PDB file of all heavy atoms in Angstrom:
ATOM      1  N   LYS A1136     127.322  52.176  81.472  1.00  0.00           N
ATOM      2  CA  LYS A1136     126.620  51.655  82.633  1.00  0.00           C
ATOM      3  C   LYS A1136     125.746  52.751  83.254  1.00  0.00           C
ATOM      4  O   LYS A1136     125.944  53.939  83.036  1.00  0.00           O
ATOM      5  CB  LYS A1136     127.612  51.141  83.679  1.00  0.00           C
ATOM      6  CG  LYS A1136     128.488  49.999  83.177  1.00  0.00           C
ATOM      7  CD  LYS A1136     129.474  49.582  84.263  1.00  0.00           C
ATOM      8  CE  LYS A1136     130.393  48.456  83.780  1.00  0.00           C
ATOM      9  NZ  LYS A1136     131.375  48.070  84.824  1.00  0.00           N
ATOM     10  N   ARG A1137     124.783  52.294  84.063  1.00  0.00           N
ATOM     11  CA  ARG A1137     123.940  53.246  84.771  1.00  0.00           C
ATOM     12  C   ARG A1137     124.728  53.901  85.907  1.00  0.00           C
ATOM     13  O   ARG A1137     125.506  53.239  86.598  1.00  0.00           O
ATOM     14  CB  ARG A1137     122.706  52.548  85.334  1.00  0.00           C
ATOM     15  CG  ARG A1137     121.841  51.887  84.263  1.00  0.00           C
ATOM     16  CD  ARG A1137     120.585  51.310  84.870  1.00  0.00           C
ATOM     17  NE  ARG A1137     119.717  52.365  85.391  1.00  0.00           N
ATOM     18  CZ  ARG A1137     118.563  52.137  86.017  1.00  0.00           C
ATOM     19  NH1 ARG A1137     118.156  50.882  86.210  1.00  0.00           N
ATOM     20  NH2 ARG A1137     117.827  53.135  86.459  1.00  0.00           N
ATOM     21  N   ALA A1138     124.514  55.197  86.076  1.00  0.00           N
ATOM     22  CA  ALA A1138     125.288  55.939  87.076  1.00  0.00           C
ATOM     23  C   ALA A1138     124.399  56.460  88.205  1.00  0.00           C
ATOM     24  O   ALA A1138     124.724  57.456  88.848  1.00  0.00           O
ATOM     25  CB  ALA A1138     126.016  57.103  86.397  1.00  0.00           C
ATOM     26  N   LEU A1139     123.276  55.772  88.451  1.00  0.00           N
ATOM     27  CA  LEU A1139     122.339  56.265  89.453  1.00  0.00           C
ATOM     28  C   LEU A1139     122.937  56.249  90.861  1.00  0.00           C
ATOM     29  O   LEU A1139     122.797  57.213  91.623  1.00  0.00           O
ATOM     30  CB  LEU A1139     121.055  55.438  89.427  1.00  0.00           C
ATOM     31  CG  LEU A1139     120.118  55.684  88.233  1.00  0.00           C
ATOM     32  CD1 LEU A1139     118.901  54.772  88.323  1.00  0.00           C
ATOM     33  CD2 LEU A1139     119.685  57.140  88.195  1.00  0.00           C
ATOM     34  N   MET A1140     123.618  55.146  91.209  1.00  0.00           N
ATOM     35  CA  MET A1140     124.140  55.038  92.576  1.00  0.00           C
ATOM     36  C   MET A1140     125.184  56.115  92.879  1.00  0.00           C
ATOM     37  O   MET A1140     125.071  56.817  93.891  1.00  0.00           O
ATOM     38  CB  MET A1140     124.706  53.638  92.799  1.00  0.00           C
ATOM     39  CG  MET A1140     123.630  52.550  92.866  1.00  0.00           C
ATOM     40  SD  MET A1140     122.404  52.884  94.184  1.00  0.00           S
ATOM     41  CE  MET A1140     123.451  52.749  95.629  1.00  0.00           C
ATOM     42  N   PRO A1141     126.229  56.279  92.039  1.00  0.00           N
ATOM     43  CA  PRO A1141     127.181  57.350  92.354  1.00  0.00           C
ATOM     44  C   PRO A1141     126.554  58.734  92.266  1.00  0.00           C
ATOM     45  O   PRO A1141     126.957  59.652  92.993  1.00  0.00           O
ATOM     46  CB  PRO A1141     128.298  57.166  91.312  1.00  0.00           C
ATOM     47  CG  PRO A1141     127.701  56.321  90.238  1.00  0.00           C
ATOM     48  CD  PRO A1141     126.679  55.462  90.894  1.00  0.00           C
ATOM     49  N   ALA A1142     125.544  58.913  91.378  1.00  0.00           N
ATOM     50  CA  ALA A1142     124.883  60.219  91.286  1.00  0.00           C
ATOM     51  C   ALA A1142     124.125  60.528  92.576  1.00  0.00           C
ATOM     52  O   ALA A1142     124.226  61.637  93.124  1.00  0.00           O
ATOM     53  CB  ALA A1142     123.935  60.241  90.093  1.00  0.00           C
ATOM     54  N   PHE A1143     123.374  59.560  93.071  1.00  0.00           N
ATOM     55  CA  PHE A1143     122.641  59.779  94.327  1.00  0.00           C
ATOM     56  C   PHE A1143     123.608  59.949  95.500  1.00  0.00           C
ATOM     57  O   PHE A1143     123.344  60.716  96.429  1.00  0.00           O
ATOM     58  CB  PHE A1143     121.676  58.628  94.587  1.00  0.00           C
ATOM     59  CG  PHE A1143     120.405  58.720  93.806  1.00  0.00           C
ATOM     60  CD1 PHE A1143     120.024  57.703  92.945  1.00  0.00           C
ATOM     61  CD2 PHE A1143     119.582  59.836  93.920  1.00  0.00           C
ATOM     62  CE1 PHE A1143     118.850  57.797  92.218  1.00  0.00           C
ATOM     63  CE2 PHE A1143     118.405  59.935  93.203  1.00  0.00           C
ATOM     64  CZ  PHE A1143     118.037  58.910  92.339  1.00  0.00           C
ATOM     65  N   ALA A1144     124.714  59.220  95.460  1.00  0.00           N
ATOM     66  CA  ALA A1144     125.719  59.379  96.514  1.00  0.00           C
ATOM     67  C   ALA A1144     126.286  60.798  96.509  1.00  0.00           C
ATOM     68  O   ALA A1144     126.510  61.401  97.571  1.00  0.00           O
ATOM     69  CB  ALA A1144     126.831  58.352  96.328  1.00  0.00           C
TER      70      ALA A1144
END
Side-chain angles (χ1 to χ4, degrees):
K1136 299 178 181 179
R1137 300 184 66 182
L1139 286 179
M1140 290 303 295
F1143 280 122

